[in-house]
């Protein structure tokens, strides 16, 4: 893979994670981009202090979110993913 391709992937990954961060914060959760190139989103339940780590990864012809505990969803379902994370962390 070329360096340009890696940069593009990193930018798309950050975009998807930032979009999810906006949605989970709207539901009262706290989050933080972490890791090299901000490639992981840590989401924390403010009351329970439980945490879930989320990544965005290319899958087939699109992108998916993957999170600890075996969760997986297409990035187009960002609102539903945020709802699910909120339930898991409540």
């Amino acid at each position: 893979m070329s360096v340009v391709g890696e940069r593009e992937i990193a930018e798309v990954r950050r975009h998807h994670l930032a979009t999810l961060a906006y949605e989970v914060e709207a539901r009262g959760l706290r989050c933080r981009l972490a890791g090299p190139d901000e490639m992981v989103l840590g989401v924390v339940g403010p009351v329970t202090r439980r945490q879930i780590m989320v990544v965005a990864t290319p899958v087939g012809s699109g992108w998916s979110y993957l999170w600890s505990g075996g969760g997986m969803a297409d990035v187009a379902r960002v609102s539903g993913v945020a709802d699910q994370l909120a339930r898991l962390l409540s």
Side-chain angles (χ1 to χ4, degrees):
M1 182 178 291
S2 72
V3 173
V4 172
E6 290 176 15
R7 269 193 223 127
E8 289 171 351
I9 288 173
E11 288 174 17
V12 171
R13 177 177 285 122
R14 275 192 302 275
H15 167 76
H16 289 310
L17 292 175
T19 301
L20 180 58
Y22 175 82
E23 289 288 332
V24 298
E25 286 177 343
R27 287 157 178 78
L29 302 174
R30 291 182 308 174
C31 60
R32 180 175 72 102
L33 288 167
D37 295 324
E38 299 178 323
M39 59 191 297
V40 177
L41 181 67
V43 183
V44 180
V47 175
T48 64
R49 302 251 188 224
R50 291 193 310 205
Q51 181 172 333
I52 293 177
M53 303 304 285
V54 183
V55 297
T57 189
V59 177
S61 63
W63 283 76
S64 288
Y65 293 117
L66 306 172
W67 60 91
S68 46
M72 181 177 178
D74 189 278
V75 295
R77 295 190 55 241
V78 66
S79 181
V81 170
D83 289 340
Q84 188 169 0
L85 295 176
R87 282 191 301 276
L88 290 170
L89 295 172
S90 63

